[in-house]
Amino acid sequence: MPTYIRKTIKLLPWVNLNISKTGPSLSIGPRGAKLNISRKGVYVNSSIRGTGVYNKTKLSTSLVWALAVAAVVIGIGYYLGITLHNFNLFVGICVAGVILGIVTFFVARNIKHAPAEEDDDIEEAPTRKKTTSTKSKSTKTTRKGGTNTGERRTERTDKASAKAYISEVESLMDKMADANTVEELEQAHSEILDIMYTNIKPLGVKVLGMEFKDAMAAIERDYAEGLRQLNGSE
């Protein structure tokens, strides 16, 4: 039976450390305007509470670098301003940090989108089109030992489909465990239910190493635990 892990640790007001099966992530900000940092990238999660309006945007690498550089410089300026009791020095360093962040953004973007140099002396070899025979081959269903090959193909197709659905459910379970907002959790939960009742149940296969009824009970337990943790972390 697979194990799904989700733990939220409150580090500071509006700063939470989320630990799940796919790795740790950091959530910064109040509910409705969160910045999530994980190995998948940096995302801005925004929503209007009570309306169902939700948006998740991944920040570009160049913008992340720009924000990081500006934050470091401003942090240094804050420390020096407090230590030396010099407000003007703090303001000057903050302005320099913003300018340096903007420069970093454009430099990183230009490096990322720099076009590769093309060699004009190299000519692309012409591609040959493969000719396909217009003659259609008739296929016959053969029987060996009383077993229909068409039935075996159908059985293999069903097994492949079941494996794909099971893999998708497990992936959505990880997504539900990594959810940083209630809206994201509910979206993953809804997709799981759709696959379970539409595809898994008719095939009569095990998912998460359990029968359908037991798997549904485990999914609902994880969903309830995710709701409790997300509502408790806000």
Side-chain angles (χ1 to χ4, degrees):
M1 176 178 174
T3 302
Y4 297 94
I5 303 171
R6 179 176 175 84
K7 178 68 176 177
T8 300
I9 302 173
K10 189 173 184 178
L11 303 178
L12 294 169
W14 293 354
V15 179
N16 298 323
L17 176 64
N18 306 308
I19 301 174
S20 65
K21 182 180 178 181
T22 56
S25 63
L26 190 67
S27 298
I28 304 173
R31 184 173 183 178
K34 281 184 177 290
L35 180 70
N36 181 259
I37 304 172
S38 67
R39 65 182 181 84
K40 297 179 182 179
V42 180
Y43 292 85
V44 175
N45 302 319
S46 57
S47 63
I48 302 176
R49 190 171 183 179
T51 63
V53 178
Y54 172 76
N55 180 62
K56 183 175 182 179
T57 304
K58 184 176 182 180
L59 300 182
S60 64
T61 304
S62 55
L63 182 57
V64 172
W65 274 107
L67 293 175
V69 169
V72 170
V73 174
I74 292 174
I76 294 173
Y78 176 78
Y79 173 77
L80 293 177
I82 294 296
T83 303
L84 302 176
H85 302 285
N86 191 332
F87 179 75
N88 292 330
L89 177 63
F90 167 66
V91 173
I93 295 178
C94 286
V95 173
V98 173
I99 295 174
L100 188 59
I102 295 173
V103 172
T104 302
F105 172 77
F106 285 106
V107 170
R109 189 176 67 171
N110 289 334
I111 291 175
K112 182 178 179 181
H113 297 286
E117 294 183 357
E118 298 179 355
D119 192 346
D120 294 335
D121 297 333
I122 300 177
E123 294 182 0
E124 184 180 357
T127 58
R128 295 182 179 179
K129 294 183 179 179
K130 294 182 179 180
T131 58
T132 57
S133 175
T134 56
K135 296 181 179 180
S136 60
K137 297 181 179 180
S138 60
T139 58
K140 296 182 180 180
T141 303
T142 60
R143 292 178 178 269
K144 292 183 179 180
T147 303
N148 191 305
T149 56
E151 292 177 356
R152 290 203 300 270
R153 290 194 189 97
T154 303
E155 184 179 353
R156 287 197 297 268
T157 302
D158 289 343
K159 288 182 178 179
S161 299
K163 187 175 181 180
Y165 292 134
I166 292 170
S167 177
E168 190 171 358
V169 168
E170 291 176 349
S171 176
L172 286 168
M173 288 290 286
D174 289 338
K175 185 177 180 181
M176 193 166 67
D178 289 337
N180 296 306
T181 65
V182 174
E183 291 83 357
E184 193 172 345
L185 176 69
E186 290 177 345
Q187 177 65 27
H189 177 252
S190 176
E191 292 179 13
I192 290 173
L193 295 185
D194 183 57
I195 296 173
M196 289 293 291
Y197 283 103
T198 305
N199 305 110
I200 297 294
K201 188 175 182 179
L203 290 173
V205 296
K206 290 184 177 181
V207 60
L208 304 176
M210 297 175 283
E211 297 294 341
F212 179 83
K213 183 178 179 180
D214 297 330
M216 284 300 305
I219 291 169
E220 292 305 321
R221 283 196 301 270
D222 286 0
Y223 173 64
E225 177 65 15
L227 281 177
R228 187 186 66 79
Q229 292 187 4
L230 286 173
N231 290 328
S233 65
E234 302 300 341

